[in-house]
Amino acid sequence: MARPAKPKPQKTLEQTLWEAADKLRGNQEPSEYKHVVLGLVFLKYVSDRFEERRKTLEQELVADGIKPERLASFLENRDEYASHNVFWVPEQARWGYIQSRAKLPSVGQDIDQAMDLVEKENPSIRGVLPRNYGRDGLDKRRLGELVDLIGSIGFTSTDDHGADDVLGRVYEYFLGQFAGKETGKDAGAFYTPRWVVRTLVEMIEPYKGRVYDPAAGSGGMFVQSAEFVKAHGGKRTDISVYGQEFTDTTWKLAKMNLALRGIEADLGTHSADSFTEDLHPDLRADFILANPPFNVSDWWDAKLADDPRWKYGTPPQGNANFAWVQHFIYHLSPKGTAGFVLANGSLSSKSSGEGEIRRKLVEADLVDCIVAMPDKLFFNTGIPVSLWFVSKDRHGNGHRKREGEVLFIDARKLGVMASRRLRELTEDDIQKIAGTYHAWRNHDGGYEDIPGFAKAASLEEITKHGFVLTPGRYVGAEDAELDEEPIEEKIERLTSELFAEFERGRELEEEVRKRLGELRS
């Protein structure tokens, strides 16, 4: 009897939009096209929010007895929009106007003009929005179709997709898809996959305080922090956000990403290098979340030679890993915690003084936890990485005393392959890692070592290992599962399974030959 066909999984809104948008890409490079798409998504969002606020305001005014002839002047009062965190959108930048121009050859110039108008009226995004829709290389027919596509989706809190952050979800999904499509050395570097960010955020739990990311990319750490606060009954204003980003186009993506999420953030007035132009020199953050670029070799500048950040040793000029670590520590508040991603080399390297810096960090009682992650978690590199957690004031800071010990977690076996190139961590994986850390860190957490997965190691043990922090050295081997199947039966079972596979292979070969014969005849 034939098995009933499995129902096809329904595509999410984000997938449907992405597939349609990608079809319209034509010969545009993904690295260029992402600015075209994401700029339009942002424009649609601010326009929808504006129209939604305008409609609500009109209803309020009518209910208050304002006469129809006076309505127009009240509806043009910008304070009525600003007080609700809604951008003011001039008439020729509203989506209805853009949509009406979608089939005209001038649609590119019309969109550029709309971006100009929105920026002029809203200083917080001045210089941020993309403005090259009118260029010759952009197919205007495809652009018009893209406007129609984005116009087909509502982004208001009452639309049929039922969530006021739907645009934020679309924006983030698109960022991830573009990261996967780009090629070259720095492809996808602007985006940290959601499952990596979620793991960091779930582990350090940024409920309230100052959150900082000096390698901010497109702002994913801040978005997930705000989501975390919201999920635990807090308000987005419970955290204040500070960041910095080196690449100008990425800094603009982050500004848009945070603006459309309603997250007020200080990302500085421009993009800048966190080492040579620290835009927040006096900031001491309660939480630092970061995924800095791995193993950067050209970071050094002569003026950094006696920098006060290098308290535990001057980092090697050929690798920025321990420059980042010390930059994070320098910017932590007296009770602050940082969680960040580093290439695995940082756990064991002894070259150019890195081993000495690592020793001093452990002896200063700053290293709280190290998590070895599986490979293939990133779009732009397959190399395995580790998560570092450093914490000031480890004899308390709201948790139990953890002086003289470090938690090691070996999570290399977790995750599922989402594609040939990319592995994702599931919600259960994230909770397993975060739950183990919290059990160890918290009062009465009931922590116990798990052979092959987690081990709380003493300073004495770490010293014996020469201050190498690779979790595999500490967690040991996992307990082998009891196998009660007699060896003769196992050999017989495996042999019959193997012969069955051979038989299946022959059947498939016959089928292929038959089909090829039909094609020839």
Side-chain angles (χ1 to χ4, degrees):
M1 192 172 134
R3 284 185 186 172
K6 275 189 183 173
K8 278 190 180 176
Q10 273 213 311
K11 285 179 185 163
T12 63
L13 163 70
E14 295 96 300
Q15 287 170 320
T16 306
L17 271 175
W18 167 257
E19 284 175 15
D22 196 41
K23 271 183 198 159
L24 295 173
R25 180 160 62 91
N27 60 359
Q28 293 285 307
E29 284 295 323
S31 54
E32 285 295 313
Y33 188 58
K34 72 170 177 274
H35 300 292
V36 174
V37 175
L38 294 171
L40 282 177
V41 170
F42 183 81
L43 188 61
K44 174 71 162 77
Y45 173 78
V46 295
S47 180
D48 275 14
R49 286 291 307 277
F50 174 83
E51 296 291 359
E52 184 186 24
R53 173 64 193 142
R54 193 179 180 88
K55 196 181 289 181
T56 307
L57 179 59
E58 188 169 355
Q59 288 165 352
E60 289 168 359
L61 293 169
V62 169
D64 290 344
I66 301 295
K67 290 180 177 151
E69 60 270 20
R70 294 185 60 211
L71 270 180
S73 63
F74 279 106
L75 290 174
E76 295 298 310
N77 181 351
R78 289 162 201 231
D79 291 343
E80 292 287 357
Y81 298 85
S83 62
H84 286 73
N85 284 327
V86 173
F87 289 110
W88 175 263
V89 183
E91 203 161 332
Q92 290 193 322
R94 293 172 199 168
W95 195 262
Y97 179 78
I98 299 297
Q99 189 95 58
S100 72
R101 317 281 294 174
K103 300 289 184 285
L104 301 178
S106 64
V107 62
Q109 285 94 332
D110 293 328
I111 295 169
D112 285 338
Q113 176 188 282
M115 297 291 187
D116 270 334
L117 291 169
V118 171
E119 279 197 1
K120 276 178 188 151
E121 297 292 348
N122 302 282
S124 68
I125 48 169
R126 199 158 287 166
V128 167
L129 304 185
R131 266 201 268 345
N132 55 356
Y133 291 88
R135 68 181 185 271
D136 289 342
L138 196 57
D139 183 316
K140 298 307 176 287
R141 181 188 60 78
R142 288 176 187 269
L143 180 59
E145 287 179 28
L146 187 62
V147 169
D148 286 340
L149 172 71
I150 291 168
S152 70
I153 184 81
F155 292 132
T156 63
S157 53
T158 55
D159 68 22
D160 59 346
H161 300 288
D164 63 354
D165 69 344
V166 66
L167 183 95
R169 293 198 336 259
V170 169
Y171 192 94
E172 188 195 29
Y173 186 81
F174 278 24
L175 282 171
Q177 294 301 310
F178 279 121
K181 286 260 181 193
E182 290 188 11
T183 54
K185 186 172 78 74
D186 296 319
F190 58 86
Y191 181 77
T192 304
R194 185 185 180 89
W195 42 93
V196 176
V197 182
R198 283 277 327 281
T199 306
L200 287 169
V201 170
E202 287 293 325
M203 286 182 77
I204 76 167
E205 300 180 306
Y207 287 109
K208 201 177 180 90
R210 295 177 299 274
V211 179
Y212 173 52
D213 181 353
S218 47
M221 298 289 182
F222 304 133
V223 170
Q224 284 301 317
S225 296
E227 291 295 314
F228 176 87
V229 170
K230 197 172 157 191
H232 290 81
K235 302 187 297 291
R236 281 181 181 169
T237 50
D238 288 347
I239 57 171
S240 46
V241 168
Y242 301 86
Q244 184 159 342
E245 170 53 39
F246 176 67
T247 306
D248 188 55
T249 52
T250 306
W251 178 80
K252 291 174 179 178
L253 287 176
K255 292 275 282 185
M256 284 195 282
N257 195 8
L258 297 175
L260 61 84
R261 294 283 191 157
I263 299 170
E264 287 189 31
D266 181 352
L267 299 186
T269 56
H270 57 286
S271 54
D273 183 323
S274 287
F275 296 131
T276 56
E277 191 184 353
D278 190 347
L279 299 179
H280 306 286
D282 302 320
L283 173 69
R284 297 298 177 267
D286 303 295
F287 304 100
I288 293 176
L289 290 153
N291 172 27
F294 304 147
N295 302 321
V296 174
S297 58
D298 56 352
W299 71 281
W300 181 258
D301 186 288
K303 68 181 180 184
L304 295 171
D306 298 310
D307 196 286
R309 288 172 286 187
W310 317 145
K311 184 177 175 182
Y312 303 95
T314 303
Q317 296 183 14
N319 193 317
N321 287 349
F322 282 96
W324 282 115
V325 176
Q326 294 191 82
H327 180 83
F328 302 145
I329 292 167
Y330 179 80
H331 279 289
L332 275 180
S333 72
K335 290 182 183 293
T337 297
F340 47 90
V341 187
L342 281 185
N344 276 355
S346 59
L347 299 171
S348 57
S349 165
K350 290 193 163 84
S351 61
S352 309
E354 287 187 329
E356 273 301 290
I357 296 173
R358 192 170 54 250
R359 175 182 68 78
K360 288 177 183 172
L361 294 175
V362 173
E363 289 180 338
D365 221 35
L366 286 162
V367 181
D368 205 37
C369 175
I370 302 286
V371 183
M373 297 292 268
D375 62 357
K376 297 182 177 169
L377 286 178
F378 291 86
F379 291 101
N380 57 328
T381 174
I383 67 167
V385 300
S386 47
L387 305 184
W388 285 57
F389 295 86
V390 300
S391 204
K392 295 245 185 119
D393 191 24
R394 290 204 315 144
H395 57 267
N397 76 0
H399 306 291
R400 73 171 185 85
K401 289 185 178 181
R402 310 182 300 288
E403 292 163 301
E405 61 178 293
V406 175
L407 178 66
F408 292 96
I409 297 175
D410 189 345
R412 288 176 297 173
K413 290 184 179 173
L414 300 186
V416 293
M417 293 306 290
S419 69
R420 200 167 43 81
R421 288 173 50 213
L422 191 67
R423 187 190 309 276
E424 292 181 2
L425 293 180
T426 66
E427 185 60 31
D428 286 347
D429 293 333
I430 293 168
Q431 292 311 321
K432 182 178 182 182
I433 297 167
T436 303
Y437 178 54
H438 296 156
W440 171 79
R441 184 183 69 168
N442 296 350
H443 294 286
D444 306 317
Y447 171 80
E448 287 181 10
D449 288 342
I450 304 167
F453 182 70
K455 162 81 175 170
S458 65
L459 178 57
E460 192 182 351
E461 288 173 89
I462 296 167
T463 306
K464 274 183 195 163
H465 283 288
F467 296 92
V468 168
L469 301 181
T470 308
R473 289 206 177 196
Y474 299 91
V475 302
E478 62 185 303
D479 293 333
E481 285 183 27
L482 281 176
D483 184 355
E484 294 171 349
E485 186 179 12
I487 190 68
E488 295 84 1
E489 286 179 26
K490 180 181 274 193
I491 291 170
E492 192 176 334
R493 177 176 59 79
L494 291 173
T495 304
S496 64
E497 284 175 11
L498 182 61
F499 285 154
E501 286 301 317
F502 287 161
E503 189 59 39
R504 174 88 181 119
R506 278 193 288 273
E507 286 171 15
L508 286 171
E509 187 183 343
E510 287 291 318
E511 184 66 22
V512 170
R513 287 179 186 279
K514 187 174 145 195
R515 293 284 170 91
L516 287 172
E518 286 169 4
L519 285 174
R520 286 200 190 98
S521 57

